[in-house]
Amino acid sequence: MSILPKKNSLGFFEIRLESIGGLGANLAGKMLAETGAIGLGLNAANFSSYGSEKKGTPVKAFVRFCDPEVEIRDHSPIEEPHVVGVFHEALYKNVNVISGLPTDGVVLVNTTRDFEDVKRDLGLQYGTLAVVDAMGIAVEEKTKVNTSMLGALFRICDFLDPEAMRNVIRSTFEKKYPHLVEPNIRTFNRGYNEVKFMTYEVPAGAIAKPFKRAQSPLGYATQVPGGVILAQANSTLKDLSGSRQGFLPELNMEKCISCANCDAVCPDYCFVWETGEDKKGRPQQLLRGIDYQYCKGCLKCIEVCPTDALSSRREEVGYAEEHRVAQVF
């Protein structure tokens, strides 16, 4: 008798992880598949889609499980997952993370917000929504988001054995990083215990939203002629908020001396300046604030600030928009 709670037409139980580079979704998918294969004897496969393979850019990881007698001959990206894990909640701005999710699917989101806010932003109508403060757990335990997300995913996929996952964590870290074994096990346990669920009833006759591949609005035949490039990744239009890994710089103007050290190390022209006067009436460039649209959270500015005017702050939804000082190009 199969232990898998659901299967698609090919006999697979499928999981899709939506993340950004640097949060460990690829390793999480690998460890998840390894646990099912070694710990439970299931057939399993995992692989990832990186795109530009840069830290901070959207990443997808895929995991397939099936019964031992079923062979996995499908290695295409998962379009209709039973479970979606969203490692970075700002992804919904640029990526349709719940695309292809069935009406009774489960979405796990790394967030501190309540269910209704997350449901509204994701455009989720029905199914099960799970939330966990994976970033908060990782910060407290000095580990990474992926381990706490794995704990929550194991709570969702209750056919998997948590103890088998703990053994995989030990085997993954004990040779090169033995000091990280116990913190990661604590992180996994907290993710497993602290995840919360809310189920929204599926109305009769409800139909799942079909999966849609993202298409660039402009191509070689539709590109607007002229000197401005409107394609994706253009630095003027690009919103880098989805690249931040949970932290951003906070500016205390009372401590700032406009030394421009921060501007010298910033790779994305985040700091906004204006012409003013110093105490002796001489013209000088003065720092006005930070344009968070271009800030990817590298925090290099904090390291070089001589007066501690810049400090690291855990990002809250709406903070960047409220405190943004826009660049004028």
Side-chain angles (χ1 to χ4, degrees), residues 50-295:
Y50 286 97
S52 63
E53 300 192 27
K54 292 188 296 185
K55 183 176 181 179
T57 55
V59 169
K60 298 180 188 289
F62 309 103
V63 180
R64 283 190 172 97
F65 291 115
C66 61
D67 295 321
E69 64 274 11
V70 178
E71 294 186 2
I72 299 179
R73 298 183 180 275
D74 183 1
H75 297 283
S76 60
I78 293 173
E79 297 183 349
E80 297 180 349
H82 298 96
V83 178
V84 172
V86 183
F87 283 49
H88 194 306
E89 64 174 326
L91 277 170
Y92 72 85
K93 296 179 181 179
N94 302 312
V95 179
N96 185 2
V97 294
I98 63 170
S99 179
L101 188 73
T103 55
D104 59 347
V106 182
V107 184
L108 169 66
V109 182
N110 167 25
T111 183
T112 58
R113 297 190 295 159
D114 59 38
F115 289 104
E116 291 303 320
D117 288 344
V118 177
K119 177 176 179 287
R120 181 190 64 248
D121 287 344
L122 292 179
L124 185 69
Q125 295 178 304
Y126 24 72
T128 299
L129 176 60
V131 298
V132 64
D133 183 11
M135 173 61 74
I137 296 172
V139 169
E140 292 175 12
E141 298 293 346
K142 296 181 174 58
T143 54
K144 275 198 167 186
V145 169
N146 57 350
T147 313
S148 45
M149 287 292 286
L150 275 172
L153 285 166
F154 265 70
R155 184 76 173 274
I156 294 169
C157 304
D158 55 6
F159 62 92
L160 296 173
D161 181 9
E163 189 55 38
M165 185 69 241
R166 296 182 187 101
N167 292 333
V168 170
I169 291 174
R170 292 186 182 95
S171 63
T172 301
F173 292 105
E174 63 185 356
K175 290 184 179 180
K176 288 187 175 182
Y177 311 103
H179 62 287
L180 294 179
V181 172
E182 290 307 316
N184 274 281
I185 290 178
R186 288 197 305 269
T187 302
F188 173 81
N189 292 338
R190 288 188 60 183
Y192 186 89
N193 293 321
E194 295 178 22
V195 63
K196 301 176 182 177
F197 299 90
M198 177 69 75
T199 299
Y200 298 93
E201 184 177 354
V202 181
I207 301 175
K209 293 182 179 180
F211 177 83
K212 292 183 179 179
R213 291 185 178 88
Q215 299 291 332
S216 174
L218 299 172
Y220 76 94
T222 56
Q223 182 64 266
V224 179
V228 177
I229 301 174
L230 297 178
Q232 293 178 349
N234 178 271
S235 59
T236 302
L237 301 178
K238 187 71 172 178
D239 183 350
L240 296 182
S241 62
S243 301
R244 294 192 287 268
Q245 298 189 37
F247 295 90
L248 45 66
E250 181 178 18
L251 176 61
N252 183 345
M253 292 300 300
E254 294 181 0
K255 294 183 177 181
C256 180
I257 58 174
S258 295
C259 66
N261 284 358
C262 53
D263 197 49
V265 299
C266 179
D268 296 298
Y269 301 103
C270 299
F271 292 93
V272 183
W273 299 84
E274 64 182 354
T275 301
E277 295 181 349
D278 62 14
K279 295 179 180 179
K280 296 183 179 181
R282 295 172 297 189
Q284 179 180 336
Q285 288 295 306
L286 302 176
L287 183 61
R288 286 184 56 216
I290 302 173
D291 191 341
Y292 288 109
Q293 174 175 327
Y294 305 113
C295 177

